[in-house]
Amino acid sequence: MSGNAPDPESLMRSRYSAFVRKDAEYLLHTWHQDTRPAQLDLNENPAPQWLGLEIKRAPLPSGDKGKLTGVVEFVARYKAGGRAHRLHETSRFSCVSARWLYVDGDVH
């Protein structure tokens, strides 16, 4: 994956796939430099078994040509330790040099 998603929703879907594959390199590559951690450890115990991604809303990006931003509200379902869980988040994205990047998110 190159990380050049055409819109925030596409980037969110590709990042979900990267979590499923435990591809920390891709996740860091698609994370905005102002909020990106130095490293990302995806070796959780118990390891989550990702079950699906539901996009709740993904309005069209807004802003000027040089300052486009977008949001994606999603629910990711997973199992860990034999229990079902849901991650419900509204993520923020920014377009930097014609590349969409994950900035941060609010967990509901």
Side-chain angles (χ1 to χ4, degrees):
M1 272 182 220
S2 69
N4 291 333
D7 54 57
E9 181 179 351
S10 297
L11 181 58
M12 182 65 244
R13 290 180 183 283
S14 71
R15 286 177 57 83
Y16 171 80
S17 295
F19 272 105
V20 172
R21 292 187 326 276
K22 295 184 179 188
D23 186 350
E25 183 179 333
Y26 178 78
L27 291 165
L28 291 170
H29 177 73
T30 58
W31 208 314
H32 195 285
Q33 69 178 9
D34 291 347
T35 57
R36 179 177 51 229
Q39 59 186 12
L40 194 58
D41 182 10
L42 299 178
N43 295 316
E44 302 163 68
N45 191 10
Q49 176 190 1
W50 295 98
L51 303 173
L53 175 69
E54 176 188 357
I55 302 297
K56 295 291 217 179
R57 67 183 178 92
L60 291 175
S62 61
D64 296 337
K65 183 174 171 89
K67 296 243 182 196
L68 280 175
T69 60
V71 297
V72 177
E73 181 182 356
F74 69 92
V75 174
R77 295 179 304 106
Y78 64 97
K79 272 186 158 179
R83 300 190 62 165
H85 300 274
R86 291 168 31 108
L87 171 62
H88 184 179
E89 179 177 310
T90 299
S91 297
R92 286 179 283 281
F93 298 86
S94 181
C95 192
V96 177
S97 300
R99 240 180 94 227
W100 283 104
L101 298 170
Y102 171 79
V103 177
D104 61 16
D106 296 320
V107 176
H108 300 273

